[in-house]
Amino acid sequence: MTKRYKSFIRYFFFIVGLLFSTIAFSQNEFIIKFVHTANGKRIIQNDSIYYTPGGEPYTISKLKYYVSNLDMNTARKSCFLIDAFGIDSFTVRPQIGLYAFLSFLLGVDSARNVSGAQDGALDPLNDMFWTWNSGYVMFKLEGNSDSSLADLHRIEHHIGGFAGTNYTMRRINLSLPKKMHANTGRHVITVEMNLDNYWRSVNNISISETPVIVTAGALAKRSADNFPQMFTIKSVE
Amino acid sequence: MKTRITISLFAFVALAVFLIGAAKNDGYGSFKPKPLKLEIPKGWPKPTNNIFVNNKLTEEGFQLGRKLFYDGNLSSDGTTSCGSCHQQFAAFSTYDHDLSHGVNNTFTDRNAPALFNLAWSPLYHWDGGVNNIEVQPLNPITAKNEMGETLPNVLSKLKADTSYSRLFKAAFGDAAITSQRLLKALAQFTGSLVSSNSRYDKWKKGELKFNPIEEAGYDIYKTNCAVCHAEPLFTDYGFRNNGLSLNRFADIGRQKITGLASDSLKFKVPSLRNVQYSFPYMHDGRFNSLEAVLNYYISGIDHDQPMLDPILKKPIVLTEKQKQQLKYFLYTLTDTAFTKSKRFAPGQ
């Protein structure tokens, strides 16, 4: 064997080794899981009645929203669709380091509201895209309420709008109860979304006054202003 | 020694190529789409937003888009394709219809605009509510009074139609049929509809002479119409209020999108190209002829309309003769090479 051949072999194994070790190291990941509560209980689809802080009864048939642009994610621009009654978690690969905050955008950033046909979480098949006034619905809550004067006592809150002053995306910054080390292994961050604060926190939103919000504008913005109050860290492990 | 390494390396590469080739060989051949370029006619501005940056224009993508455009299966009952409302001989508007027919005996509540030079348009629809040509088809596909279908249904019908898997593969590299690919292919077809071969264009290039009537008409156009219907596209793609009264659908136009009272009754300025074929006119097709449009500009404008465009506050005064001259000039904007182009017609 020539010297050149040997060094080639050595180089080859070095590269293979490097590849495997990066794969092994990149096992390092955070699972972000969302749990959804109202009146202090985990929400159940359709069959359970909850009360807004204003005393209006309601049921929930749909709760979906976008979580994107996580500070800690190496693929920073990634976008995830959370469905309270479906897939309610996702995995990110943080850069190696120490994390004191979980910071994400509730919604889809402006650029991706004007970027045409997309796939994955942003596929229009997910029924989170407005066609007549192009743009994503950032947050969708549907259900029923005796307080609703809309057809069939419906609640339809489709909160969207990204342009100019109508933007409804909100940055959510949550400090973690303990600093988390992203180097190896898998960590789970559980985030609680409390619907009580959707109805009443920064703004007071009443079902009887606004059972249906399906366009961008002042009403949607009032709802969006409550987004940051809805989220807290429930646990990290 | 050296040769042995070379041979083993060669064998390794050959094996890899073979394996990759075998994996890809699914009977449809290899993926080599033919790239196309959107031609920008001489003297025209560059398109404002390059619609083919994230949607590589290829012959295969265009052909798939063309087939989809003329496929009634995109509608709930199989009857209504994009092409039923956007007819080529009418420059892709609906010929002689103020409103178009959707599925189940419905009517649209706006006039189907002619489709061409869409790559230059920053926004779509009469109110500019659509911000990207790729997402535009979601409107007609899902509207109850257009194609009345759902996106999942369209996709499953396309998947069931075996002729499509080959076309999707040719256009995108594998046979997967997704909403993104459907929309991108449609945009490759609609975005390629360029109309730039009218008598006016030939006159600009010095290939022919206008007769005195057309020349006089051009001057009248320059004086009265050219700010909004600006050369060379014959629209400035702005949203303007040309004084039309509110229609029976209470269509407030741009205000519906922006929520701004200052956008009341503003509509996208349509191009005057091919206007000979795109009647009836305006967002609701309220005028049947160019004669009626000109009469409107001369004596029909509602000057009390608060958001009336300032340019139109000054009355347009034209004699009968000047009206005829202007009309003859507008006819020079007709592009029959476009309305008869086989490339844009349904395939065989």
Side-chain angles (χ1 to χ4, degrees), chain B residues 239-274:
Chain B
F239 294 89
R240 295 173 180 267
N241 177 326
N242 72 343
L244 297 171
S245 55
L246 188 69
N247 68 14
R248 61 197 182 282
F249 305 113
D251 191 343
I252 52 176
R254 185 83 182 134
Q255 184 182 9
K256 185 172 163 206
I257 301 302
T258 63
L260 301 172
S262 56
D263 283 335
S264 167
L265 292 169
K266 287 186 181 169
F267 292 88
K268 182 170 158 183
V269 177
S271 173
L272 295 183
R273 286 178 175 273
N274 298 306

Side-chain angles (χ1 to χ4, degrees), chain B residues 298-310:
Chain B
I298 293 164
S299 59
I301 292 178
D302 174 6
H303 285 272
D304 296 332
Q305 184 100 222
M307 293 310 152
L308 176 66
D309 200 285

Side-chain angles (χ1 to χ4, degrees), chain B residues 146-328:
Chain B
E146 294 185 61
M147 302 167 99
E149 195 38 297
T150 66
L151 202 46
N153 277 353
V154 170
L155 292 178
S156 59
K157 280 189 276 184
L158 294 179
K159 283 172 190 163
D161 179 343
T162 49
S163 65
Y164 273 109
S165 44
R166 197 173 47 80
L167 295 172
F168 273 83
K169 154 101 187 184
F172 296 108
D174 64 65
I177 296 179
T178 65
S179 75
Q180 188 179 40
R181 289 177 173 186
L182 162 73
L183 295 171
K184 284 192 185 280
L186 277 169
Q188 293 206 19
F189 178 73
T190 53
S192 297
L193 299 170
V194 174
S195 175
S196 64
N197 266 313
S198 63
R199 271 170 58 71
Y200 160 85
D201 296 295
K202 296 190 177 117
W203 173 63
K204 276 273 151 168
K205 285 187 272 190
E207 289 171 14
L208 55 76
K209 283 209 164 74
F210 269 0
N211 65 36
I213 302 175
E214 292 164 337
E215 269 178 12
Y218 178 65
D219 290 338
I220 297 164
Y221 152 79
K222 287 293 265 186
T223 315
N224 296 286
C225 326
V227 175
C228 307
H229 298 284
E231 291 176 274
L233 290 145
F234 287 85
T235 163
D236 66 350
Y237 290 115
F239 294 89
R240 295 173 180 267
N241 177 326
N242 72 343
L244 297 171
S245 55
L246 188 69
N247 68 14
R248 61 197 182 282
F249 305 113
D251 191 343
I252 52 176
R254 185 83 182 134
Q255 184 182 9
K256 185 172 163 206
I257 301 302
T258 63
L260 301 172
S262 56
D263 283 335
S264 167
L265 292 169
K266 287 186 181 169
F267 292 88
K268 182 170 158 183
V269 177
S271 173
L272 295 183
R273 286 178 175 273
N274 298 306
V275 81
Q276 184 177 1
Y277 294 150
S278 64
F279 66 98
Y281 302 109
M282 306 298 167
H283 63 274
D284 50 11
R286 69 178 70 181
F287 298 129
N288 247 313
S289 63
L290 282 176
E291 184 72 19
V293 170
L294 298 185
N295 288 340
Y296 166 74
Y297 276 112
I298 293 164
S299 59
I301 292 178
D302 174 6
H303 285 272
D304 296 332
Q305 184 100 222
M307 293 310 152
L308 176 66
D309 200 285
I311 293 163
L312 289 170
K313 293 211 164 120
K314 192 170 140 265
I316 291 176
V317 186
L318 299 177
T319 63
E320 270 314 302
K321 189 170 160 205
Q322 286 173 317
K323 262 166 57 182
Q324 295 315 312
Q325 291 167 331
L326 177 53
K327 227 183 323 176
Y328 276 103

Side-chain angles (χ1 to χ4, degrees), chain A residues 4-131:
Chain A
R4 222 155 121 206
Y5 191 49
K6 264 191 205 150
S7 71
F8 169 75
I9 296 268
R10 222 180 277 144
Y11 188 62
F12 180 76
F13 279 108
F14 175 68
I15 294 288
V16 169
L18 203 69
L19 277 174
F20 272 103
S21 61
T22 45
I23 290 168
F25 268 114
S26 59
Q27 277 308 331
N28 139 41
E29 58 190 24
F30 285 170
I31 296 168
I32 319 286
K33 181 169 169 55
F34 289 80
V35 297
H36 305 86
T37 63
N39 306 170
K41 290 183 294 241
R42 285 269 196 118
I43 59 170
I44 299 169
Q45 193 169 21
N46 297 329
D47 296 336
S48 198
I49 295 175
Y50 306 97
Y51 291 87
T52 68
E56 295 174 307
Y58 68 103
T59 59
I60 307 163
S61 56
K62 202 177 272 182
L63 176 58
K64 284 161 81 173
Y65 52 93
Y66 281 110
V67 171
S68 69
N69 300 23
L70 276 89
D71 270 356
M72 60 172 55
N73 199 0
T74 40
R76 270 212 66 190
K77 290 279 162 193
S78 301
C79 194
F80 305 94
L81 180 59
I82 297 295
D83 181 348
F85 306 119
I87 293 172
D88 58 6
S89 70
F90 56 83
T91 304
V92 298
R93 296 188 175 280
Q95 235 128 57
I96 290 176
L98 208 55
Y99 289 92
F101 291 95
L102 174 66
S103 170
F104 61 86
L105 192 71
L106 190 82
V108 178
D109 65 26
S110 305
R112 271 174 302 176
N113 277 277
V114 298
S115 305
Q118 292 171 77
D119 57 3
L122 295 170
D123 193 316
L125 276 176
N126 292 322
D127 204 18
M128 293 290 278
F129 190 78
W130 276 329
T131 54

Side-chain angles (χ1 to χ4, degrees), chain B residues 124-136:
Chain B
Y124 303 93
H125 283 191
W126 284 102
D127 54 18
V130 174
N131 65 29
N132 190 302
I133 193 169
E134 289 175 16
V135 297
Q136 189 283 331

Side-chain angles (χ1 to χ4, degrees), chain B residues 21-52:
Chain B
K24 273 207 163 165
N25 187 4
D26 49 10
Y28 297 130
S30 60
F31 179 49
K32 279 197 216 81
K34 182 169 161 249
L36 294 180
K37 241 185 90 191
L38 181 73
E39 290 300 332
I40 299 176
K42 228 181 124 225
W44 286 27
K46 280 224 165 70
T48 31
N49 40 350
N50 190 344
I51 58 171
F52 296 126

